[in-house]
């Protein structure tokens, strides 16, 4: 009788191992955002011609730089106003994507010509751009890729 119990336990263990080795692992990939939304965002950004005023504003020296002369300050304010107008023409859901695109476009134009501190300042200005324009969302996460 003990042999039969041992044989039963052994068969049960083998069945358990066989079942465990056939376990299927399923992974789910969650896409960020709706692809249709992303296409709509790209179209809006394209319509605004990659936000040239935002690109100019982002490439300027910091507005808090005390060394700026009045003409440079006025120029920065003008670029900011024009940039804000461009951002207003873009849906709220697409604004951060638009700001990121403006940063990427500016990076392509300057290809490595900026020092780390200048890049950090540009990213900070881009992150705070919607807030400076009094638009939602107030901040954007910048996904900068420097060459």
């Amino acid at each position: 009788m003990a042999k039969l119990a041992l044989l039963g336990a052994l068969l049960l263990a083998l069945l358990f191992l066989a079942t465990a080795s056939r376990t299927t692992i399923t992974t789910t990939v969650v896409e960020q955002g709706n692809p249709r939304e992303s296409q709509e965002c790209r179209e809006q950004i394209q319509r605004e011609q990659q936000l040239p005023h935002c690109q100019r504003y982002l490439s300027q020296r910091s507005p808090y730089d005390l060394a700026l002369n009045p003409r440079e300050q006025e120029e920065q304010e003008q670029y900011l106003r024009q940039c804000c107008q461009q951002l207003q023409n873009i849906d709220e859901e697409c604004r951060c994507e638009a700001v990121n695109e403006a940063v990427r476009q500016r990076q392509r134009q300057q290809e490595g010509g900026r020092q780390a501190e200048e890049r950090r300042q540009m990213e900070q200005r881009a992150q705070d751009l919607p807030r400076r324009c009094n638009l939602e969302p107030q901040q954007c996460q910048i996904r900068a890729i420097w060459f």
Side-chain angles (χ1 to χ4, degrees):
M1 188 71 162
K3 288 183 180 181
L4 189 58
L6 184 59
L7 183 61
L10 184 59
L11 285 174
L12 189 59
L14 286 173
L15 181 63
F16 176 74
L17 286 173
T19 304
S21 68
R22 290 189 203 154
T23 303
T24 304
I25 298 173
T26 305
T27 48
T28 305
V29 177
V30 179
E31 278 192 36
Q32 293 258 349
N34 182 338
R36 190 171 143 245
E37 263 182 27
S38 187
Q39 178 62 33
E40 288 174 11
C41 290
R42 283 191 294 273
E43 289 172 5
Q44 288 180 40
I45 294 166
Q46 194 65 30
R47 221 178 10 255
E48 290 300 320
Q49 302 161 347
Q50 274 32 40
L51 302 137
H53 300 298
C54 294
Q55 290 180 43
R56 286 188 200 109
Y57 171 75
L58 292 171
S59 68
Q60 300 282 312
R61 290 191 311 184
S62 170
Y64 307 109
D65 187 342
L66 298 176
L68 288 179
N69 66 45
R71 186 175 156 273
E72 287 175 310
Q73 288 177 341
E74 185 178 310
E75 192 175 81
Q76 278 191 353
E77 289 172 16
Q78 178 183 355
Y79 287 141
L80 177 61
R81 278 193 305 276
Q82 292 169 328
C83 174
C84 291
Q85 288 173 345
Q86 288 180 314
L87 287 175
Q88 282 178 335
N89 293 334
I90 293 177
D91 292 343
E92 181 178 330
E93 303 81 36
C94 299
R95 284 188 187 130
C96 286
E97 188 174 331
V99 171
N100 270 291
E101 182 60 28
V103 170
R104 281 191 295 275
Q105 289 295 324
R106 195 40 123 184
Q107 290 169 346
R108 286 185 192 110
Q109 292 168 3
Q110 295 175 334
E111 294 221 17
R114 291 196 172 261
Q115 300 299 319
E117 180 60 24
E118 289 177 279
R119 291 192 305 253
R120 190 193 61 72
Q121 286 179 355
M122 179 189 259
E123 290 170 13
Q124 183 65 45
R125 291 177 81 188
Q127 179 178 334
D128 294 335
L129 190 55
R131 182 186 53 76
R132 301 234 344 134
C133 293
N134 200 26
L135 297 170
E136 293 294 329
Q138 289 283 296
Q139 277 195 327
C140 293
Q141 183 175 349
I142 303 304
R143 299 177 310 270
I145 301 169
W146 297 98
F147 302 95

